[in-house]
Amino acid sequence: MTELATYNFAYLDEQTKRMIRRAILKAIAIPGYQVPFASREMPMPYGWGTGGVQLTAAIIGPQDVLKVIDQGADDTTNAVSIRAFFQKVANVAVTTRTEEATIIQTRHRIPETKLNANQVLVYQVPTPEPLRYLEPRETETRKMHALEEYGLMHVKLYEDIARNGRIATTYAYPVKVAGRYVMDPSPTPKFDNPKMHLSDALQLFGAGREKRIYAVPPYTEVVSLDFEDHPFEVQRFDKPCTLCGAEQVYLDEVILDDKGGRMFVCSDTDFCEDRRAHGHVGPMLAPNGPAADGLPGSKEAAE
Amino acid sequence: MTDTPLLKVKDISKFYGSRIGCRDVSFELWPGEVLAIVGESGSGKTTLLNCISTRLLPTTGSVEYHMRDETYRDLFRMNEAERRFLMRTDWGFVHQNPADGLRMTVSAGANVGERLMAIGNRHYGNIRNTAIDWLERVEIDADRIDDQPRAFSGGMRQRLQIARNLVTGPRLVFMDEPTGGLDVSVQARLLDLVRGLVNDLGLSAIIVTHDLAVARLLSHRMMVMKDGYVIEHGLTDRVLDDPREPYTQLLVSSILQV
């Protein structure tokens, strides 16, 4: 790799990494608190994961194995380009297998496979401030965090119920971390919120444009906000994954044709492939299953 | 009325650079009492109100408040968390422009319920029932509960703002020109409502207004301000019927007679 000479290891210079690591340490010390940091220009546009990439670059070492997912998939543009970026600038091993990875950078999903204590989950965050849409002033939201004034968060959930009869927030569902800070878990579906609670893995959140880093240390309480008479619920799917037959996982809808044909498959591609490799089959791949274009009943498979 | 004042204001002055906002204002407010601050534009009424309500830091002076635990606390020596808690539970602030006091993008029910949620109420059904109750008390139909305030008329917005402030059962309400910008019949209805609520709930209130009719209808006592100073202070009927200061006489005689 001769072109490595033109880059410092993992792209960022050592002073920048030091600055980011200090922010990470502070974030871990105060779970859920948004630590400001001097976000750098990265060779990709804002909104493509510049915060997550800076976190990964600051913590990655030559021995690490990196996995990058976007909406659960390893093969989408964002995931492929970030993975290629780190292969080039850090020459680290990359994988699509969740169990093998030591650092998993993610956009919008937490892997279905339970993470372990040797893994770090790095989230790409567009809007770190959970109170933002109701309170546009940064000075005011900081004060609200400092004084633990989180009534406004419930105003949002109240509005949801008043308009839709239930809490209709399905992603970026606000959580309270370690009984203190209310945090935006990035646009992950609320299906993944319970996985954050008492997780074995360290979870880091980076917002490049907004210049904020926050963290959930391992084994930290993460509680989704709710009302006593409208408790927190995750999305449910009444049909298993069409390809691997998995239940209790988050499914993506895939449109098959313009006649209303569609199927629901695991959003976590690695999880789905792994199950199929172990011989699990869903309705579409089953020997006597319905043909792909038919798929009767799949229309009401999702919530 | 009891023998301990609810609020003791001592020598409040506020300077904007070398300009005087208000100067050496002292008074006491008693439980259940409504005090009107009147005067022309620029006389320092709103500055004084903002200083007393801790929205503005006065240059000198102190404001002591009789807390529910029977102790007096200097508002400017409290920490910010305590002060903000006081402001959203034991106090209310009604702005002249309802858009300043309401969240215009959330429904009327959420506006009324916000203070309840802020003090830890976590039962949607209870919050909603309380909101409906309060909307009815300020004469807004219960079926408007899910409408946003931007769909309300000016008078309804002002009434919604009052409901939002009173839902936690405050003991002291600050009102800055509560009837400004409303037409006369809506004003009359709002005044009637406020008078009823103040009587029913035994509220203390400090009302800033340039409209002497509002002061006459609502207040027990009034202070007349000019150029930052309080020039006359007394029972409302006394001040309006027998004004002593030349400026007050001018003010009273400038009321339009129909």
Side-chain angles (χ1 to χ4, degrees), chain A residues 133-136 140 143-144 147-152 154-159 161-163 226-230, chain B residues 80-81 84-85 88 103 105-107 109-110 113-114 117-118 121-128 131 145-146 148:
Chain A
Y133 291 106
L134 286 160
E135 179 51 72
E140 187 66 15
K143 199 169 275 181
M144 291 160 84
L147 300 177
E148 228 179 323
E149 289 178 4
Y150 290 130
L152 203 52
H154 276 85
V155 171
K156 183 169 185 269
L157 300 180
Y158 173 98
E159 275 297 279
I161 304 173
R163 285 187 196 167
D226 60 2
F227 285 102
E228 287 159 16
D229 47 348
H230 286 269
Chain B
E80 194 171 14
R84 284 171 69 112
F85 183 75
R88 63 167 191 263
R103 286 193 193 280
T105 52
V106 302
S107 67
E114 181 178 344
M117 291 181 252
N121 204 318
R122 292 288 176 267
H123 193 284
Y124 174 81
N126 294 351
I127 292 168
R128 199 170 168 83
I145 186 169
D146 292 332
Q148 292 187 2

Side-chain angles (χ1 to χ4, degrees), chain A residues 269-287:
Chain A
T269 51
D270 169 62
F271 180 79
C272 198
E273 281 162 16
D274 192 51
R275 274 179 60 87
R276 274 179 278 154
H278 284 84
H280 296 277
V281 282
M284 185 190 276
L285 300 180

Side-chain angles (χ1 to χ4, degrees), chain A residues 71-135:
Chain A
Q71 308 270 11
D74 292 281
D75 52 3
T76 50
T77 315
N78 195 238
V80 169
S81 56
I82 291 174
R83 197 162 55 224
F85 174 76
F86 279 109
Q87 272 180 299
K88 184 169 187 180
V89 300
N91 197 23
V92 291
V94 295
T95 181
T96 60
R97 297 182 54 80
T98 305
E99 302 93 79
E100 290 171 5
T102 56
I103 298 174
I104 303 172
Q105 182 171 334
T106 176
R107 173 173 175 266
H108 296 195
R109 275 312 308 279
I110 299 175
E112 303 289 356
T113 312
K114 193 174 183 301
L115 301 181
N116 64 48
N118 296 318
Q119 293 177 312
V120 180
L121 191 57
V122 175
Y123 295 76
Q124 303 168 196
V125 182
T127 314
E129 180 50 71
L131 301 162
R132 177 62 67 239
Y133 291 106
L134 286 160
E135 179 51 72

Side-chain angles (χ1 to χ4, degrees), chain A residues 232-300:
Chain A
F232 172 75
E233 283 176 342
V234 299
Q235 294 100 327
R236 285 179 205 292
F237 303 88
D238 11 318
K239 292 273 161 48
C241 168
T242 317
L243 297 178
C244 77
E247 293 176 358
Q248 312 296 321
V249 295
Y250 193 77
L251 302 180
D252 279 344
E253 181 183 16
V254 179
I255 305 286
L256 297 172
D257 53 33
D258 58 1
K259 300 183 190 70
R262 49 185 180 163
M263 65 177 189
F264 289 86
V265 294
C266 292
S267 133
D268 186 340
T269 51
D270 169 62
F271 180 79
C272 198
E273 281 162 16
D274 192 51
R275 274 179 60 87
R276 274 179 278 154
H278 284 84
H280 296 277
V281 282
M284 185 190 276
L285 300 180
N288 301 319
D293 53 358
L295 287 176
S298 65
K299 277 174 194 165
E300 57 275 6

